[in-house]
Amino acid sequence: MLNLLIFLHFFIIFAEQPINLIQMDKYTHKNQKEQSKKIRLYNIAIYPEECQSPERYTELFKAVKEKKIRINTYSDKNTRIRTLYEHDGLIYGSLINYTKLNEEGWFNEETEEIEDVNINPNLNPNSKEWEYFFLPQAHRLAIFEDANTSSSQIAYFFEEALNKVTDKNKGENVKVNIVATEDAIEKIFNAVQLTNLEIKVSYTNNDNNDEWEAIIDEQMKESEVFVVSTKVSGTKKKPIKLKKKTFLGGMLKLSRENGYAKATAYFDGKRDVINTKEHPLIDEVRYENEDSLLDKIKSRILSLSKRHE
């Protein structure tokens, strides 16, 4: 009888332990440390101007998913949308990237013969997922910046895939632009000697712009000019005089989110080539837990974009 009482005593003690651990886990969850993820931004714009609306962006994204649009994004790599969800105006999900195999020309190492093989066309190796977040309200795309994510393939995929579902009768066209850092633009403005400058811009999706940016943007829309490109050159003795409150300065500032700029400049006698495509804006999203991540990403996209309506 005594042994039975001792057994029951220890059984009750150990039976209570999981409850305590669960309570501790809840406490830890509420008070866990703030986490962060790095994101890269892209500006997705539909042309012409009359097609630019959050609803149209949403329609195009859903069409790419529903039609299972697959794009060859690099070498034998293919990409398509695997999942698409919506949360408080934010479109998000995952892309699947995989190797598309060819049935012809397989080298047999044992026989040293070149053979053809039969492959199940629905099975593809080397697959990996990339997450994406698109806010139609701001027409900005965010992706995680990490070693496992190919930003170039993702940008190429969305531009090619979205253009496959546009309304050709309306002349719809989609452009995906890297959002560059302000530092890259300022470095061009601050060049001691600017000898070459190439700028290519498209008009905006009704973003809020500074004076000269707004003037150029409006002139492009009124003239129904989709893209403007310019190349100017100077010398070390007579460098380009670049000022912010000029047509050229306005184009440069506009290119940060709506095109690109490439400049050859000298700083203390040293030559430097600045390509804004090589200076993407990398930002950080801070969040408490996975449940709050989507809201934090949406908020960060809005704060980084010029459009807050």
Side-chain angles (χ1 to χ4, degrees), residues 1-265:
M1 185 66 179
L2 179 61
N3 291 337
L4 178 60
L5 290 173
I6 293 172
F7 172 78
L8 290 174
H9 173 72
F10 281 101
F11 177 81
I12 292 171
I13 291 174
F14 283 108
E16 290 177 347
Q17 294 307 307
I19 297 174
N20 292 334
L21 289 173
I22 291 172
Q23 291 172 341
M24 185 179 295
D25 181 67
K26 286 182 178 179
Y27 178 84
T28 304
H29 180 74
K30 289 181 180 179
N31 295 273
Q32 62 183 300
K33 293 182 179 179
E34 188 178 59
Q35 303 175 68
S36 66
K37 285 184 181 290
K38 291 183 178 180
I39 60 169
R40 177 186 292 227
L41 276 188
Y42 291 87
N43 179 15
I44 299 183
I46 305 173
Y47 303 98
E49 185 182 8
E50 56 266 24
C51 299
Q52 297 174 342
S53 71
E55 294 76 20
R56 185 56 181 151
Y57 284 109
T58 302
E59 289 173 1
L60 292 181
F61 265 74
K62 288 183 176 179
V64 170
K65 171 66 172 68
E66 291 166 1
K67 294 183 178 182
K68 298 182 178 180
I69 301 296
R70 172 172 57 88
I71 301 296
N72 177 211
T73 49
Y74 178 75
S75 186
D76 58 357
K77 295 294 184 181
N78 282 256
T79 306
R80 53 171 284 196
I81 293 179
R82 185 180 186 189
T83 61
L84 186 150
Y85 308 104
E86 293 182 79
H87 171 79
D88 192 25
L90 182 72
I91 294 174
Y92 72 100
S94 66
L95 303 178
I96 189 75
N97 178 264
Y98 54 89
T99 301
K100 194 68 178 175
L101 299 177
N102 194 315
E103 294 185 343
E104 301 175 353
W106 286 62
F107 178 68
N108 188 321
E109 289 186 334
E110 182 179 358
T111 65
E112 296 191 349
E113 297 291 332
I114 297 176
E115 307 172 2
D116 294 342
V117 296
N118 293 321
I119 304 172
N120 184 337
N122 294 318
L123 295 178
N124 301 282
N126 307 317
S127 63
K128 50 188 172 184
E129 284 189 284
W130 298 323
E131 294 179 82
Y132 68 91
F133 308 87
F134 179 68
L135 187 61
Q137 175 187 353
H139 54 92
R140 296 300 193 276
L141 171 74
I143 62 173
F144 290 137
E145 179 70 12
D146 56 51
N148 298 318
T149 302
S150 174
S151 56
S152 60
Q153 287 193 68
I154 292 174
Y156 183 80
F157 165 76
F158 276 113
E159 183 163 311
E160 294 294 312
L162 291 167
N163 276 307
K164 285 187 177 296
V165 295
T166 53
D167 189 337
K168 300 300 185 270
N169 293 324
K170 293 182 179 179
E172 278 188 338
N173 183 271
V174 176
K175 184 65 179 174
V176 178
N177 290 305
I178 292 172
V179 175
T181 63
E182 291 185 3
D183 288 345
I185 301 297
E186 285 300 315
K187 188 173 182 180
I188 297 174
F189 274 118
N190 295 331
V192 177
Q193 295 164 307
L194 184 62
T195 57
N196 286 286
L197 180 60
E198 175 185 344
I199 305 173
K200 185 175 182 178
V201 296
S202 303
Y203 65 71
T204 74
N205 192 157
N206 298 318
D207 290 338
N208 296 320
N209 297 306
D210 293 337
E211 181 183 0
W212 275 96
E213 292 175 83
I215 291 172
I216 296 167
D217 192 38
E218 190 60 33
Q219 287 179 349
M220 290 177 68
K221 290 175 181 177
E222 289 179 356
S223 303
E224 296 185 357
V225 175
F226 167 47
V227 177
V228 171
S229 299
T230 185
K231 289 183 180 181
V232 293
S233 60
T235 65
K236 290 181 70 175
K237 289 185 177 181
K238 290 188 176 181
I240 301 164
K241 293 182 179 180
L242 182 64
K243 297 181 180 180
K244 293 183 178 181
K245 294 185 177 181
T246 61
F247 185 84
L248 197 61
M251 279 192 67
L252 178 58
K253 292 173 69 178
L254 200 61
S255 73
R256 189 175 81 85
E257 298 187 72
N258 298 279
Y260 72 89
K262 186 176 180 180
T264 301

